[in-house]
Amino acid sequence: IHVSGYFNDFHDSPAYKVNDYRYQQYALQFGQTFQPAENHTFMWGIDSRADCLDTSNADPSLLNQDYVNTAVFGLYAQDEWRFAPNWRLNLGARIDYEFYTGFQPSGRASLSYDLTDTSMLYAAVSRAFQTPPVGSRFLYTPFMEGLVYATSDQDIKPETLIAYELGYRATFFDKLQTNVNLYCHDYDDLAILKLMPGPPGLVRNNFQNGYPAWMYGVEMDARYDITKN
C-alpha cells in the first residue's frame, strides 16, 4: 500500500505583464499492489488533483476571468496474468472525472510471449486522452496593442488517442538490452490555434478542437551495461 501527496506553487512574472500568473496544484494519491493468486499481480488506486490559476496581476488581461480552477478524480485497476508458462496478459483500465470535460475512460490491453528466457514478443492496444489545461479555456490575451487576440472555446474537448503497438525485446550477453517497437497512433479532436477575424481585435488566434490525425513509425533503443555498476 502506498499513499503520496504533493503541492506545487509556480509564479511567472515576466517583463511582458500580460503573461503574469500564479499556478498551484494539490494532489493526493492512494494505491495498492497484491497477488490474489500465484500467477496474478493486481494493482488498483485512487488519485485526485486540484488546479488553481490566478491571473489577477496580468495587465491588461491573460484570461477573461481572474481566477479559474478545476479538479480531477481518477480510479484505476490493472491485472497481470501469466496464464501459461510463456504467455502473459496485462489488462488495465481507469476512469477520470474532470469538472469541465466530465468522465473520460482510458485503458490498455497487452499480450506477450516469451521466446526464450531473455527475449519476448508483445502486442498492445490502448486508449489515452489529454484534457486541456483549465486556463486555456478562458484565453483573452491581447497582442500588438490589441490588434491581435488569443481566444479559446470554453467547451473544448479532450484530445484522444488510440494506440497500437507490436514489439520485440531481448537481452544479449547479459549486458545488451534491446527493444524494437512498431506503432500506429490514431488521434482525434487535436487542439489547434485557428486564425479567425475579430472581434476582439482585427484578428484572433482561437484555441479549439481541430482535426483527426494518424502517426506511425518504428522505435528502436539499446542499453549496454559497461560494468556491473
Side-chain angles (χ1 to χ4, degrees), residues 30 69 82 97-98 103 139 180 185 191 194:
F30 168 86
N69 54 74
R82 183 180 285 275
Y97 179 82
E98 197 254 355
F103 289 100
L139 289 176
V180 179
H185 291 173
K194 183 177 180 180

mmCIF file of all heavy atoms in Angstrom, residues 30 69 82 97-98 103 139 180 185 191 194:
data_model
loop_
_atom_site.group_PDB
_atom_site.id
_atom_site.type_symbol
_atom_site.label_atom_id
_atom_site.label_comp_id
_atom_site.label_asym_id
_atom_site.label_seq_id
_atom_site.Cartn_x
_atom_site.Cartn_y
_atom_site.Cartn_z
ATOM 1 N N PHE A 30 -3.605 7.298 -3.663
ATOM 2 C CA PHE A 30 -3.576 6.075 -2.868
ATOM 3 C C PHE A 30 -3.540 4.887 -3.815
ATOM 4 O O PHE A 30 -4.264 4.865 -4.824
ATOM 5 C CB PHE A 30 -4.816 5.973 -1.981
ATOM 6 C CG PHE A 30 -5.004 4.619 -1.347
ATOM 7 C CD1 PHE A 30 -4.377 4.312 -0.159
ATOM 8 C CD2 PHE A 30 -5.803 3.653 -1.953
ATOM 9 C CE1 PHE A 30 -4.528 3.052 0.419
ATOM 10 C CE2 PHE A 30 -5.968 2.411 -1.390
ATOM 11 C CZ PHE A 30 -5.335 2.099 -0.191
ATOM 12 N N ASN A 69 -10.287 27.467 -11.767
ATOM 13 C CA ASN A 69 -9.774 26.247 -11.147
ATOM 14 C C ASN A 69 -10.581 25.054 -11.610
ATOM 15 O O ASN A 69 -11.689 25.195 -12.148
ATOM 16 C CB ASN A 69 -9.792 26.352 -9.613
ATOM 17 C CG ASN A 69 -11.159 26.722 -9.075
ATOM 18 O OD1 ASN A 69 -12.069 25.899 -9.057
ATOM 19 N ND2 ASN A 69 -11.319 27.969 -8.645
ATOM 20 N N ARG A 82 -0.209 -14.461 -15.812
ATOM 21 C CA ARG A 82 0.568 -15.436 -16.588
ATOM 22 C C ARG A 82 -0.282 -16.708 -16.672
ATOM 23 O O ARG A 82 -0.282 -17.538 -15.753
ATOM 24 C CB ARG A 82 1.920 -15.714 -15.928
ATOM 25 C CG ARG A 82 2.801 -16.664 -16.728
ATOM 26 C CD ARG A 82 4.136 -16.907 -16.035
ATOM 27 N NE ARG A 82 5.039 -15.784 -16.162
ATOM 28 C CZ ARG A 82 5.839 -15.585 -17.200
ATOM 29 N NH1 ARG A 82 5.831 -16.426 -18.221
ATOM 30 N NH2 ARG A 82 6.647 -14.543 -17.231
ATOM 31 N N TYR A 97 -12.691 11.797 -13.868
ATOM 32 C CA TYR A 97 -13.730 12.816 -13.948
ATOM 33 C C TYR A 97 -13.093 14.180 -13.728
ATOM 34 O O TYR A 97 -12.410 14.409 -12.721
ATOM 35 C CB TYR A 97 -14.815 12.592 -12.890
ATOM 36 C CG TYR A 97 -15.891 13.654 -12.928
ATOM 37 C CD1 TYR A 97 -16.933 13.576 -13.844
ATOM 38 C CD2 TYR A 97 -15.849 14.759 -12.071
ATOM 39 C CE1 TYR A 97 -17.908 14.553 -13.911
ATOM 40 C CE2 TYR A 97 -16.820 15.745 -12.132
ATOM 41 C CZ TYR A 97 -17.844 15.634 -13.039
ATOM 42 O OH TYR A 97 -18.807 16.614 -13.102
ATOM 43 N N GLU A 98 -13.303 15.069 -14.693
ATOM 44 C CA GLU A 98 -12.819 16.447 -14.595
ATOM 45 C C GLU A 98 -14.016 17.388 -14.691
ATOM 46 O O GLU A 98 -14.970 17.104 -15.416
ATOM 47 C CB GLU A 98 -11.815 16.732 -15.715
ATOM 48 C CG GLU A 98 -10.956 17.961 -15.462
ATOM 49 C CD GLU A 98 -11.360 19.148 -16.320
ATOM 50 O OE1 GLU A 98 -12.243 18.986 -17.186
ATOM 51 O OE2 GLU A 98 -10.798 20.239 -16.127
ATOM 52 N N PHE A 103 -16.624 12.649 -17.549
ATOM 53 C CA PHE A 103 -15.941 11.366 -17.447
ATOM 54 C C PHE A 103 -15.171 11.049 -18.725
ATOM 55 O O PHE A 103 -15.647 11.301 -19.828
ATOM 56 C CB PHE A 103 -16.953 10.242 -17.175
ATOM 57 C CG PHE A 103 -17.547 10.270 -15.799
ATOM 58 C CD1 PHE A 103 -18.808 10.805 -15.597
ATOM 59 C CD2 PHE A 103 -16.843 9.771 -14.718
ATOM 60 C CE1 PHE A 103 -19.362 10.832 -14.332
ATOM 61 C CE2 PHE A 103 -17.390 9.798 -13.442
ATOM 62 C CZ PHE A 103 -18.653 10.330 -13.248
ATOM 63 N N LEU A 139 -8.963 31.947 -22.539
ATOM 64 C CA LEU A 139 -7.975 32.873 -23.102
ATOM 65 C C LEU A 139 -8.637 34.160 -23.590
ATOM 66 O O LEU A 139 -9.655 34.144 -24.280
ATOM 67 C CB LEU A 139 -7.229 32.214 -24.257
ATOM 68 C CG LEU A 139 -6.247 31.109 -23.900
ATOM 69 C CD1 LEU A 139 -5.673 30.485 -25.157
ATOM 70 C CD2 LEU A 139 -5.121 31.634 -23.014
ATOM 71 N N VAL A 180 12.592 -3.073 -29.972
ATOM 72 C CA VAL A 180 12.107 -2.580 -31.264
ATOM 73 C C VAL A 180 10.591 -2.561 -31.189
ATOM 74 O O VAL A 180 9.971 -3.554 -30.801
ATOM 75 C CB VAL A 180 12.572 -3.471 -32.428
ATOM 76 C CG1 VAL A 180 12.023 -2.926 -33.751
ATOM 77 C CG2 VAL A 180 14.084 -3.553 -32.476
ATOM 78 N N HIS A 185 -0.607 5.468 -34.235
ATOM 79 C CA HIS A 185 -1.403 6.303 -33.335
ATOM 80 C C HIS A 185 -2.529 6.976 -34.108
ATOM 81 O O HIS A 185 -2.301 7.598 -35.143
ATOM 82 C CB HIS A 185 -0.525 7.380 -32.682
ATOM 83 C CG HIS A 185 0.468 6.830 -31.711
ATOM 84 N ND1 HIS A 185 1.444 7.596 -31.124
ATOM 85 C CD2 HIS A 185 0.623 5.579 -31.218
ATOM 86 C CE1 HIS A 185 2.170 6.847 -30.316
ATOM 87 N NE2 HIS A 185 1.689 5.618 -30.353
ATOM 88 N N ALA A 191 -6.076 19.748 -30.503
ATOM 89 C CA ALA A 191 -6.236 21.167 -30.208
ATOM 90 C C ALA A 191 -5.338 21.987 -31.134
ATOM 91 O O ALA A 191 -4.156 21.666 -31.323
ATOM 92 C CB ALA A 191 -5.892 21.450 -28.750
ATOM 93 N N LYS A 194 -6.587 28.483 -34.426
ATOM 94 C CA LYS A 194 -7.176 28.803 -35.728
ATOM 95 C C LYS A 194 -7.265 30.312 -35.892
ATOM 96 O O LYS A 194 -7.820 31.004 -35.038
ATOM 97 C CB LYS A 194 -8.570 28.180 -35.851
ATOM 98 C CG LYS A 194 -9.215 28.402 -37.214
ATOM 99 C CD LYS A 194 -10.560 27.707 -37.304
ATOM 100 C CE LYS A 194 -11.197 27.930 -38.682
ATOM 101 N NZ LYS A 194 -12.511 27.256 -38.785
#
